[in-house]
Amino acid sequence: MRVAPSEETREVARAAAQWLALLESGGASDEDHARLQHWRASDSRHENAWKKIQQLRQRFAGLPPTLAMATLDRPDPARRAALKRALGAAALVPAAWLISRELPLEVWRADLHTSTGERRKVQLAQDSSLQLNTDSAVNVDLPARQLTLIRGEMALNVAGDSAFIVNAPYGRMIVNHSDISVRLNARDCQVCVLHGSVQLQPLHGPALVLQQGQQVSLQASGAGAVTAFDALMPGWRDGVLMAQNQPLGDFLRELSRYRSGVLRWDPALESLRITGSFRLDDTDQVLALLAASLPVDVHARTRFWVSLVPRAEKTG
């Protein structure tokens, strides 16, 4: 049985893939090369990941990267089957291989899934609808009226008397006459109730009922404290990212969920405050709006490698 990689291991693999993507884009500067050398030297795990990516690049050097990336971008069953028949491997080039290692097999096999930046709405039955946020995956069993959240974030609206059951790694939810949002994070599952009430059954600990306007974190040890629901959080359902006097660092971490590639910012920007509603359909425009309203400069080496830095003061 394969042991799932830890979150830390995934982060190292993701960083190595991003470094490779930058180098292969042709847009890497001397400073970027120096930062890569520093990253490799700072931790033996970084160097091991980089050596592995180089070995795989040599192994698959004759294969076209576009084929691999197209497969990763939208891995439908027919394309996966063709890839398996052609190569008998999970990936074609090092970056693709490392990215695929981050995604559990059940994500690839999920009934419904979205890629980075994609949102999707599905009518499950006459009385219920499902929305998936960016980079999410759900299995659907309509005869049993059950959903299993595998990755990311979903919203479920059930208007009728017949309940839907939502399964997640840390518990299950029984939903009828309710509208809920469920987000799976690295170490917990956050459940928010927009309308109605929902019965929660954590894997450990007693069951509880969550009312409209409340949220709770389901964890391996059980349910956390019930708190008030942040009405700004479900803005993604309307394609909007909302902020109310929010630290810029927190805003950018959320925005990065909707962008492919690397989004970096100087730590000095963390404490700046941002308020507004931003359309998620064009994250480049969101960054442009930040630069127009805050003392921030946006440096784009490529579409997939963007850095934010404090705006330099003009002299003389």
Side-chain angles (χ1 to χ4, degrees):
M1 181 179 68
R2 176 185 165 188
V3 178
S6 67
E7 187 65 23
E8 190 173 21
T9 299
R10 290 178 179 177
E11 287 297 330
V12 172
R14 185 180 294 112
Q18 290 169 346
W19 278 117
L20 179 66
L22 174 63
L23 295 188
E24 292 189 341
S25 73
S29 66
D30 291 341
E31 182 183 355
D32 290 324
H33 284 279
R35 285 204 300 265
L36 171 58
Q37 292 301 321
H38 176 75
W39 179 81
R40 292 171 56 186
S42 65
D43 193 307
S44 61
R45 292 168 297 182
H46 298 177
E47 180 64 15
N48 289 337
W50 187 251
K51 287 180 178 178
K52 182 176 292 185
I53 208 173
Q54 294 300 311
Q55 292 168 357
L56 286 166
R57 180 162 61 180
Q58 293 175 3
R59 179 179 177 185
F60 298 118
L63 297 172
T66 52
L67 177 59
M69 298 316 295
T71 303
L72 285 171
D73 180 57
R74 192 175 294 274
D76 58 79
R79 207 176 306 182
R80 287 201 307 270
L83 179 63
K84 184 176 180 180
R85 288 195 302 270
L87 298 170
L92 304 181
V93 296
W97 181 87
L98 283 173
I99 293 169
S100 71
R101 293 286 291 184
E102 297 172 16
L103 297 178
L105 184 60
E106 56 266 27
V107 172
W108 294 96
R109 293 177 173 174
D111 296 323
L112 298 172
H113 49 74
T114 54
S115 58
T116 299
E118 179 186 10
R119 299 177 309 281
R120 184 176 181 185
K121 185 171 183 179
V122 178
Q123 194 72 29
L124 296 175
Q126 188 174 5
D127 65 345
S128 55
S129 61
L130 170 70
Q131 285 182 270
L132 291 185
N133 200 1
T134 176
D135 189 21
S136 300
V138 171
N139 278 331
V140 180
D141 185 347
L142 281 180
R145 292 181 69 90
Q146 290 201 39
L147 305 174
T148 301
L149 180 61
I150 298 171
R151 183 180 178 95
E153 187 171 14
M154 57 166 277
L156 176 64
N157 184 295
V158 181
D161 294 324
S162 185
F164 259 93
I165 294 176
V166 179
N167 300 300
Y170 303 103
R172 59 169 20 191
M173 295 127 258
I174 301 175
V175 185
N176 65 323
H177 288 292
S178 302
D179 189 358
I180 71 167
S181 177
V182 186
R183 177 165 169 172
L184 187 58
N185 301 310
R187 295 179 178 84
D188 76 321
C189 181
Q190 187 177 40
V191 184
C192 308
V193 181
L194 284 75
H195 301 289
S197 61
V198 174
Q199 182 178 346
L200 305 182
Q201 298 176 343
L203 287 182
H204 301 286
L208 69 152
V209 175
L210 204 62
Q211 303 289 346
Q212 178 176 327
Q214 294 182 328
Q215 64 182 359
V216 73
S217 170
L218 298 181
Q219 305 166 10
S221 58
V226 175
T227 60
F229 175 63
D230 183 355
L232 298 178
M233 288 187 61
W236 65 266
R237 300 171 71 168
D238 298 317
V240 175
L241 182 59
M242 302 179 69
Q244 181 65 43
N245 197 32
Q246 186 178 27
L248 182 60
D250 292 344
F251 178 83
L252 291 174
R253 273 182 281 274
E254 189 67 16
L255 181 66
S256 66
R257 298 176 61 214
Y258 299 88
R259 287 182 60 89
S260 298
V262 180
L263 177 62
R264 300 167 50 180
W265 56 93
D266 191 298
L269 302 178
E270 282 279 342
S271 59
L272 291 178
R273 295 283 171 166
I274 181 70
T275 296
S277 299
F278 303 88
R279 297 297 308 178
L280 288 169
D281 294 331
D282 189 348
T283 57
D284 286 337
Q285 179 63 23
V286 175
L287 295 177
L289 290 172
L290 293 180
S293 58
L294 295 173
V296 171
D297 284 331
V298 178
H299 296 164
R301 299 189 185 281
T302 72
R303 169 65 179 82
F304 303 102
W305 192 283
V306 177
S307 301
L308 277 67
V309 298
R311 181 167 299 146
E313 295 185 4
K314 294 182 179 180
T315 59

